[in-house]
Amino acid sequence: MVSHAHQGTTSSALTRLNVNAVRMLGIPAAGYAHLLGMAPEHLNDDLCRPPALTSIRIAELATVHAHWTEVAQLLTQQSTIGTLGVWDYLITSAPTPLEGIRDAGTYLATVVDVSTDNLRITEDGDRIAISHINEADLAHEAACAVRACALGLYQRRLSEAAQRRLVPVHVALAAKAPRRHQALIELYGTSSIEFEAPVSSLTFLASDLTGPTPRAQPGLSTVLRRHAEQTLATAVPLHNWLDLFRTALASAHDGTAPTLSTVARRMAVSTRTLQRRLDEHGTTWSNEVETMRRDHITRLLCSTDLSIDAIAARSDYADARALRRAVHRWYSTTPAALRRTGHPHGGVQADTSR
């Protein structure tokens, strides 16, 4: 079971998809470039998870410039396989499309904020319904575009898994009926679309989803599920300005001590502004650098076999003795004891052997 980690954030891949769509619609970057997570070092880093609010704001801009049905169609058309990372391949590499969409539901958190959006599969005789759960207002056009796009993505990936276009026998959308919806008919390949439904869903013939995936490879699904778990475990949520600062600080740390001016340049602010913002968040430059070094050293001690001398060199300490003093200051123990327990708060005892 995957926990609902990183609530309030989405994958950078999903944000990039939204950005690509608004660029194609000719929307000036000035309308969204200031949003959290839009800096290139965050947007282009697959470990970063921008706030879900960033994608929502971008979707709202899109639906001001184009009808929500057309936005949904554009987003789906631009989401070629691999656009959303491992999530895409979970569907297309499973033994059957049905098993793939089940894996996609389990690991939906690799793409979206599962505190607001989710996927449900219901089997009923010779029918299988795939529902996208989103409780935003039916009149919210950005939410309508998101729901319609989600269904389009499910259909596209399932078709890619089956190596043929799968057309649902029925489509239900939790959206007010638009005056025109030709874009949705083209998107789903059917005019059997119900609007103002309680839940958005695609209903397929069971036989469409239970046949073998032509290009499935034995064992690949297991590897992809592990990768999805690792993706969630290593993700960096960007909830606020301090999160953005810390990712910029980490990216400036390449084995040498990062400087205030270097990080300020990465964040496109002056050093004075950076120090003032840190003070507003109840911290200081020196505290943040110390915390980053502590976490970096702790990871190296607990997850690698590097010698103490090697870790000191990688952490910009003069020698192993300086690193030992730092570890003692942080945890009241030694590097060797910390390494044995594998956790800084595991009840370690002082060890003077190193």
Side-chain angles (χ1 to χ4, degrees):
M1 177 67 70
V2 178
S3 66
H4 288 190
H6 313 310
Q7 289 192 3
T9 66
T10 65
S11 71
S12 56
L14 182 62
T15 308
R16 290 195 298 269
L17 176 61
N18 281 294
V19 169
N20 185 47
V22 295
R23 285 174 177 165
M24 294 186 70
L25 290 170
I27 299 173
Y32 55 86
H34 64 285
L35 298 171
L36 285 176
M38 287 299 300
E41 63 267 26
H42 303 132
L43 187 62
N44 299 320
D45 185 345
D46 286 337
L47 288 180
C48 290
R49 289 183 63 94
L53 193 58
T54 291
S55 283
I56 292 170
R57 291 289 177 262
I58 295 172
E60 288 173 340
L61 281 173
T63 53
V64 167
H65 286 73
H67 195 272
W68 67 263
T69 59
E70 295 164 2
V71 172
Q73 184 184 38
L74 176 61
L75 285 167
T76 306
Q77 289 173 340
Q78 295 305 306
S79 63
T80 55
I81 190 166
T83 298
L84 299 178
V86 66
W87 185 84
D88 287 342
Y89 299 107
L90 285 166
I91 302 175
T92 59
S93 302
T96 67
L98 179 58
E99 290 176 74
I101 198 67
R102 282 175 176 157
D103 280 347
T106 300
Y107 294 100
L108 192 63
T110 60
V111 181
V112 303
D113 176 9
V114 292
S115 67
T116 60
D117 291 80
N118 229 305
L119 188 162
R120 184 174 67 206
I121 300 167
T122 307
E123 299 183 56
D124 183 11
D126 65 347
R127 299 286 193 271
I128 296 176
I130 298 167
S131 303
H132 186 84
I133 315 301
N134 176 292
E135 297 181 358
D137 194 296
L138 295 186
H140 186 201
E141 292 198 353
C144 294
V146 167
R147 296 183 188 113
C149 173
L151 296 188
L153 280 169
Y154 301 154
Q155 180 185 8
R156 180 168 185 175
R157 292 295 176 264
L158 288 166
S159 297
E160 288 162 341
Q163 293 290 291
R164 61 187 177 87
R165 189 177 193 196
L166 301 181
V167 177
V169 296
H170 185 67
V171 178
L173 273 172
K176 287 192 176 296
R179 282 184 287 182
R180 63 187 190 279
H181 60 275
Q182 184 60 35
L184 297 182
I185 294 174
E186 294 172 3
L187 178 59
Y188 304 125
T190 179
S191 58
S192 178
I193 304 174
E194 172 194 357
F195 292 98
E196 300 188 32
V199 174
S200 301
S201 66
L202 300 169
T203 301
F204 291 97
L205 292 174
S207 57
D208 281 339
L209 303 186
T210 54
T213 300
R215 296 183 182 176
Q217 298 181 42
L220 182 55
S221 286
T222 300
V223 173
L224 291 171
R225 285 192 291 268
R226 289 174 182 163
H227 182 63
E229 293 277 6
Q230 184 66 17
T231 296
L232 289 170
T234 57
V236 180
L238 306 175
H239 291 293
N240 52 44
W241 181 88
L242 197 55
D243 289 333
L244 300 182
F245 163 77
R246 286 169 176 164
T247 60
L249 177 62
S251 67
H253 180 247
D254 57 0
T256 59
T259 65
L260 181 65
S261 59
T262 298
V263 176
R265 280 196 303 272
R266 285 175 181 261
M267 299 190 72
V269 297
S270 68
T271 56
R272 181 174 296 181
T273 297
L274 180 56
Q275 288 176 312
R276 186 181 72 250
R277 294 297 302 274
L278 288 169
D279 182 62
E280 290 170 355
H281 284 80
T283 186
T284 65
W285 168 259
S286 59
N287 284 344
E288 292 298 319
V289 171
E290 178 85 348
T291 298
M292 181 197 68
R293 294 175 85 184
R294 182 197 67 197
D295 293 346
H296 177 65
I297 288 167
T298 303
R299 282 195 301 272
L300 291 177
L301 285 169
C302 296
S303 63
T304 75
D305 295 324
L306 290 171
S307 68
I308 303 302
D309 286 321
I311 292 175
R314 291 190 179 201
S315 307
D316 197 41
Y317 279 96
D319 51 35
R321 189 181 338 181
L323 185 143
R324 291 190 186 99
R325 286 198 296 268
V327 171
H328 190 271
R329 182 173 69 254
W330 297 328
Y331 301 125
S332 298
T333 189
T334 66
L338 180 59
R339 172 166 274 170
R340 279 200 307 272
T341 63
H343 193 280
H345 305 296
V348 293
Q349 300 298 316
D351 184 331
T352 58
S353 63
R354 299 193 67 143

